[in-house]
Amino acid sequence: MALHVEHLSARYGRIEVCRDVSFTAADGEFLVVLGPNGAGKSTLLGALAGTVAGGGDIGIAGRMLQRTSARQRARMGLALVPEGRRNLFSPLTVEENLQLGLRLLPAAERAAMQASLHSMFPILSERARQTAGLLSGGEQQMLAIAVAIARRPSVLLLDEPSQGLAPVILDRLVEVISALRAIGLIVVLAEQNHRFAARLADRYVVLQGGDIVGSGPGAELADQERAADALLSRPPLH
């Protein structure tokens, strides 16, 4: 398994938010962390990225990350797109934001990655000189993802990417995120929109009150009753 998480905890000061979280994800796999508001999803992704204090074991392709900083984890292949697209600099243009993402790559690789990003996100080419803060919500989400994958990560953490977006925009976002399978990325997606999650998930785990209380194949989320059971933390149907 390329991503291995075991007995992970996360806390703010003395307040423990997540406890004993364990899961694995293989190369190219999309894992959804499903749960309602306040379940601890954002905190869990922060603990993986190193922006939230925590304990336990985190490994990417056998390399252990738990004693490394957020910056070191980024260099080791872990990228986070936080809720609200907070990895963007609103006063800067689209292209300037992309260049900030590309800085972690060796100089010789930047031009090829830049071309790849413009191919994957053609709308960003059209908006290259536009200020990021003036983009639509969907365009900002695509830019936030592009900035994250500009670093060529092996694991992408997406926190509530569907939040506040219209259904027609979600269709395009599903296409963009699905295309990441072609480059072998592991995607860990924190969501409470089970319809959106069902279109992407290979597997899901249910987080409730900071604990994993259920799991299953992503196809189950397309079933309304099963998805309701997952979100309400009832045992899945058999």
Side-chain angles (χ1 to χ4, degrees):
M1 293 293 180
L3 174 65
H4 180 85
V5 178
E6 188 170 358
H7 305 304
L8 184 70
S9 63
R11 65 186 182 276
Y12 294 104
R14 295 183 179 181
I15 301 175
E16 189 175 52
V17 178
C18 295
R19 293 163 296 278
D20 200 28
V21 172
S22 299
F23 60 83
T24 57
D27 290 340
E29 187 171 27
F30 284 32
L31 175 72
V32 168
V33 180
L34 190 70
N37 276 333
K41 303 186 300 298
S42 296
T43 302
L44 173 61
L45 294 194
L48 293 173
T51 60
V52 174
D57 296 330
I58 305 168
I60 298 178
R63 296 179 298 170
M64 305 310 291
L65 275 64
Q66 62 269 25
R67 291 184 177 86
T68 58
S69 68
R71 182 182 294 273
Q72 288 171 318
R73 294 182 193 196
R75 292 188 178 279
M76 293 170 72
L78 202 155
L80 171 66
V81 179
E83 183 180 3
R85 284 79 79 176
R86 295 194 306 274
N87 63 328
L88 297 182
F89 291 90
S90 296
L92 301 183
T93 67
V94 167
E95 192 59 35
E96 287 168 340
N97 272 278
L98 288 177
Q99 289 301 321
L100 289 175
L102 290 165
R103 286 191 310 171
L104 285 180
L105 282 185
E109 299 178 17
R110 292 174 191 169
M113 174 55 79
Q114 184 177 14
S116 178
L117 290 172
H118 282 298
S119 175
M120 188 178 297
F121 303 93
I123 189 64
L124 301 184
S125 294
E126 298 172 19
R127 303 282 193 271
R129 296 184 180 181
Q130 187 168 334
T131 301
L134 297 180
L135 298 175
S136 70
E139 290 167 348
Q140 286 184 357
Q141 187 64 71
M142 291 179 199
L143 177 58
I145 293 172
V147 168
I149 66 175
R151 308 168 183 174
R152 210 185 298 277
S154 54
V155 179
L156 181 65
L157 309 175
L158 295 177
D159 193 2
E160 300 271 11
S162 73
Q163 188 179 61
L165 301 184
V168 66
I169 303 301
L170 291 182
D171 290 342
R172 176 58 181 144
L173 191 58
V174 167
E175 293 176 8
V176 168
I177 296 175
S178 296
L180 301 179
R181 296 182 190 275
I183 56 178
L185 269 179
I186 295 171
V187 176
V188 180
L189 173 70
E191 264 296 338
Q192 58 179 312
N193 183 339
H194 70 269
R195 293 180 181 86
F196 177 76
R199 300 171 67 182
L200 293 164
D202 295 312
R203 290 188 298 121
Y204 72 90
V205 296
V206 181
L207 197 67
Q208 180 67 273
D211 297 306
I212 288 184
V213 297
S215 63
E220 289 185 354
L221 298 179
D223 183 294
Q224 298 298 308
E225 191 170 0
R226 284 187 180 274
D229 285 339
L231 285 168
L232 293 173
S233 299
R234 295 198 298 266
L237 299 175
H238 295 290

